[in-house]
Amino acid sequence: MKRLERIDADISDNVKKDQEGIMKRTIKDSVFTDLFQDKKYLLQLYKALHPEDTDVTENVLNDITIKNVLTDNIYNDLGFTVGDKLMILVEAQSSVWTVNIIVRALMYLVQTWHDYFERTKQNLYKSKKVQMPIPEVYVIFTGERKTRPSEISLSQEFFNGKECAVDVKVKMIYDGKEGDIINQYVMFTKVCNEQMKKYGRTRKAVMEAIRICKDRNVLSEYLSSKESEVVSIMMVLYDEEEIMRSYVESERHDAQQEARYDEKIETAKEKIWTRPSVFPVSEMIFWIRSSLRKAWSLRMNSISIPFSEAILCAFCRTCSVRGCEKSG
């Protein structure tokens, strides 16, 4: 049982890594990033974050989202500057909450600063002090949480509030203000989740979500002008989630099967080597044929060896298998 728990934990870790990989490949195609690629909506986002700045225009907003699509590197959801005074990074996080978003935000910030210095041709190794915009980091969380802190920080979450050389403060947004662009995006995600529960990860669920949002005046202009793109984006995300779910089930099944064979081997070893007098030869043959042959196919398929040596290897009494991890 403990072995199965460890296997499940390993699968979960691998799945999380794979999910992160999938998100990296699809993030550029998410509804969130597609929405705010349009400066009209980006301006609305900025005004929702800074309602006091009434003079800002689309012309001073510059998209600086990390878009490294050629290598397996970091990708963030949204980054933009407001003239030379502000650098704003915004992440959209849905169902699964993790404070690791703070660490990711730090990585995004460092990469964004690096790109900014290159873009503005500033040299960090010269004596002249570089000019840099003030950074702000936000996370829009659309899932459910028992607690809703307005801000989280690296020092508080990871170092128990102790003073550290580097700290990152992330401002949390959950619902936005009624009617603003943030609130509309959050409402859109909730309607999508409701329809997915009703119709599954299907085209009908997406179409119903779009129809409902239009009726409620939620991102209605965006959804009307880019309906086909939104449908394509959502269907791709649904397909990838389905593939990931199938992968998880397959990995768990294979791991459980392997654990059962390992248990049989341990039982056979105990009976054969500790109680040989009470272990009939017929049962010994049965165990060797049914358990070890399968174990050999699982563990020795990459090494070409005779079956007799595979049996010895499985019992670890004598090891003549080249490449065996126990033989060194």
Side-chain angles (χ1 to χ4, degrees), residues 70-116:
L70 297 179
T71 60
D72 185 19
N73 210 322
I74 60 173
Y75 303 81
N76 66 331
D77 288 359
L78 178 66
F80 64 97
T81 55
V82 184
D84 293 324
K85 63 179 181 178
L86 283 177
M87 175 185 290
I88 298 178
L89 305 183
V90 186
E91 292 298 302
Q93 195 167 16
S94 55
S95 56
V96 180
W97 167 253
T98 171
V99 293
N100 293 338
I101 189 67
I102 305 173
V103 181
R104 298 207 304 269
L106 175 59
M107 296 171 64
Y108 301 151
L109 183 57
V110 171
Q111 182 64 48
T112 303
W113 263 332
H114 176 271
D115 295 345
Y116 177 81

Side-chain angles (χ1 to χ4, degrees), residues 292-311:
L292 300 185
R293 187 178 292 276
K294 183 60 180 179
W296 176 40
S297 68
L298 287 171
R299 297 190 172 188
M300 301 299 171
N301 57 1
S302 62
I303 307 173
S304 179
I305 59 173
F307 181 58
S308 58
E309 292 193 25
I311 295 175

Side-chain angles (χ1 to χ4, degrees), residues 12-30:
S12 297
D13 289 341
N14 289 334
V15 168
K16 287 177 182 177
K17 292 176 182 177
D18 288 339
Q19 285 176 327
E20 290 172 0
I22 284 180
M23 288 304 293
K24 287 176 184 177
R25 290 192 292 274
T26 62
I27 201 65
K28 64 181 181 301
D29 296 324
S30 72

Side-chain angles (χ1 to χ4, degrees), residues 134-148:
I134 300 172
E136 292 181 355
V137 182
Y138 298 86
V139 168
I140 299 175
F141 184 68
T142 60
E144 299 295 330
R145 287 199 67 191
K146 292 181 179 179
T147 59
R148 289 189 162 195

Side-chain angles (χ1 to χ4, degrees), residues 78-309:
L78 178 66
F80 64 97
T81 55
V82 184
D84 293 324
K85 63 179 181 178
L86 283 177
M87 175 185 290
I88 298 178
L89 305 183
V90 186
E91 292 298 302
Q93 195 167 16
S94 55
S95 56
V96 180
W97 167 253
T98 171
V99 293
N100 293 338
I101 189 67
I102 305 173
V103 181
R104 298 207 304 269
L106 175 59
M107 296 171 64
Y108 301 151
L109 183 57
V110 171
Q111 182 64 48
T112 303
W113 263 332
H114 176 271
D115 295 345
Y116 177 81
F117 293 135
E118 284 196 342
R119 188 168 57 253
T120 57
K121 301 188 184 307
Q122 297 188 73
N123 193 330
L124 295 174
Y125 297 96
K126 288 186 176 181
S127 59
K128 182 181 178 180
K129 182 171 68 174
V130 297
Q131 301 296 314
M132 54 198 300
I134 300 172
E136 292 181 355
V137 182
Y138 298 86
V139 168
I140 299 175
F141 184 68
T142 60
E144 299 295 330
R145 287 199 67 191
K146 292 181 179 179
T147 59
R148 289 189 162 195
S150 60
E151 184 177 270
I152 54 178
S153 70
L154 187 70
S155 63
Q156 193 65 44
E157 297 292 341
F158 290 89
F159 308 118
N160 297 319
K162 294 180 181 178
E163 187 175 334
C164 54
V166 177
D167 198 8
V168 178
K169 295 180 180 180
V170 178
K171 296 179 181 179
M172 298 296 304
I173 301 174
Y174 302 96
D175 299 308
K177 294 183 179 180
E178 186 175 358
D180 71 12
I181 194 70
I182 297 174
N183 178 254
Q184 291 185 56
Y185 172 75
V186 173
M187 291 300 297
F188 168 76
T189 61
K190 290 182 177 180
V191 171
C192 284
N193 290 337
E194 290 170 359
Q195 296 308 305
M196 184 182 67
K197 289 178 182 178
K198 189 174 181 179
Y199 297 107
R201 290 173 169 79
T202 62
R203 185 181 184 86
K204 182 175 178 59
V206 178
M207 297 303 296
E208 277 297 295
I210 292 175
R211 181 189 63 78
I212 293 170
C213 286
K214 284 181 180 180
D215 290 344
R216 297 179 183 176
N217 199 29
V218 174
L219 299 180
S220 57
E221 184 180 1
Y222 166 74
L223 294 174
S224 296
S225 63
K226 304 194 73 173
E227 180 172 321
S228 61
E229 289 90 337
V230 172
V231 172
S232 297
I233 289 170
M234 297 301 294
M235 292 309 299
V236 168
L237 292 176
Y238 285 171
D239 288 345
E240 289 179 337
E241 288 173 1
E242 186 63 36
I243 290 170
M244 180 55 63
R245 194 162 42 252
S246 298
Y247 167 77
V248 172
E249 292 175 359
S250 175
E251 287 291 297
R252 182 170 286 112
H253 174 75
D254 291 346
Q256 289 173 343
Q257 291 297 316
E258 184 176 353
R260 292 191 185 100
Y261 289 123
D262 286 348
E263 185 179 350
K264 287 183 179 181
I265 291 174
E266 292 302 317
T267 302
K269 287 168 64 176
E270 179 184 356
K271 288 186 176 181
I272 292 174
W273 301 118
T274 62
R275 293 179 293 166
S277 60
V278 297
F279 193 72
V281 173
S282 60
E283 287 192 34
M284 183 185 296
I285 294 173
F286 170 79
W287 278 105
I288 291 175
R289 286 181 175 176
S290 63
S291 299
L292 300 185
R293 187 178 292 276
K294 183 60 180 179
W296 176 40
S297 68
L298 287 171
R299 297 190 172 188
M300 301 299 171
N301 57 1
S302 62
I303 307 173
S304 179
I305 59 173
F307 181 58
S308 58
E309 292 193 25

